[in-house]
């Protein structure tokens, strides 16, 4: 039997309304929120296809003490996403082939969590 894994990172956000607007602009939809309206939630989930991200409100002090790692998301749609998002002015690392065998681009979310979308070229 083959094992299946799914990872749903929890992103620290300091302004839920700003974060929900950001992810909506990138084509993500709201899956759930622990309050209504969702902009007042302390915990919410957004998704695009089978990519699910959880958002949790942190105070600026909590955010300053929280280590954030870069999120690397493998996708066959890297060219499509880059074309779609490039015009939004969020890309900080242009789409290019890397020496380690990835074709990737990157950006930061509103709370400075780094994201890289890539596909392997090897």
């Amino acid at each position: 039997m083959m094992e299946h894994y799914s990872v749903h990172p929890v992103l620290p956000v300091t302004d839920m309304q700003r974060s929900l607007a950001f992810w909506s602009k990138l084509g993500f939809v709201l899956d759930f929120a622990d309050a209504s309206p969702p902009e007042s939630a302390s915990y919410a989930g957004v998704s695009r296809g089978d990519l699910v991200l959880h958002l949790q409100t942190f105070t600026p002090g909590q955010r300053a003490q929280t280590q954030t790692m870069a999120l690397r998301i493998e996708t066959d749609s890297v060219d499509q996403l880059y074309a779609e998002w490039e015009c939004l002015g969020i890309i900080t690392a242009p789409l290019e082939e890397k020496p380690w065998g990835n074709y990737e681009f990157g950006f930061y979310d509103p709370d400075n969590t780094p994201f890289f979308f890539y596909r392997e070229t090897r």
Side-chain angles (χ1 to χ4, degrees):
M1 177 179 192
M2 186 171 169
E3 293 182 49
H4 172 75
Y5 298 96
S6 183
V7 175
H8 301 184
V10 178
L11 307 175
V13 303
T14 54
D15 183 328
M16 185 63 77
Q17 181 175 0
R18 179 183 67 183
S19 291
L20 289 172
F22 176 81
W23 291 109
S24 176
K25 186 168 63 171
L26 272 63
F28 285 72
V29 296
L30 179 70
D31 288 335
F32 66 87
D34 68 357
S36 183
E39 294 78 13
S40 68
S42 60
Y43 199 86
V46 296
S47 65
R48 179 174 170 145
D50 59 359
L51 175 57
V52 177
L53 304 173
H54 290 201
L55 312 173
Q56 183 173 5
T57 302
F58 279 49
T59 66
Q62 291 170 317
R63 179 68 180 97
Q65 294 180 347
T66 301
Q67 291 183 337
T68 303
M69 63 183 75
L71 294 170
R72 297 185 47 75
I73 300 164
E74 186 175 9
T75 178
D76 292 334
S77 303
V78 71
D79 294 294
Q80 173 195 336
L81 292 175
Y82 185 78
E84 182 181 332
W85 296 344
E86 182 181 28
C87 65
L88 299 176
I90 63 165
I91 306 297
T92 55
L95 183 61
E96 61 187 11
E97 191 161 341
K98 299 295 186 179
W100 49 87
N102 288 341
Y103 188 55
E104 67 180 53
F105 71 92
F107 62 86
Y108 292 90
D109 79 354
D111 285 284
N112 293 318
T113 300
F115 282 81
F116 294 93
F117 285 76
Y118 75 96
R119 70 173 158 76
E120 291 187 6
T121 57
R122 296 182 204 202

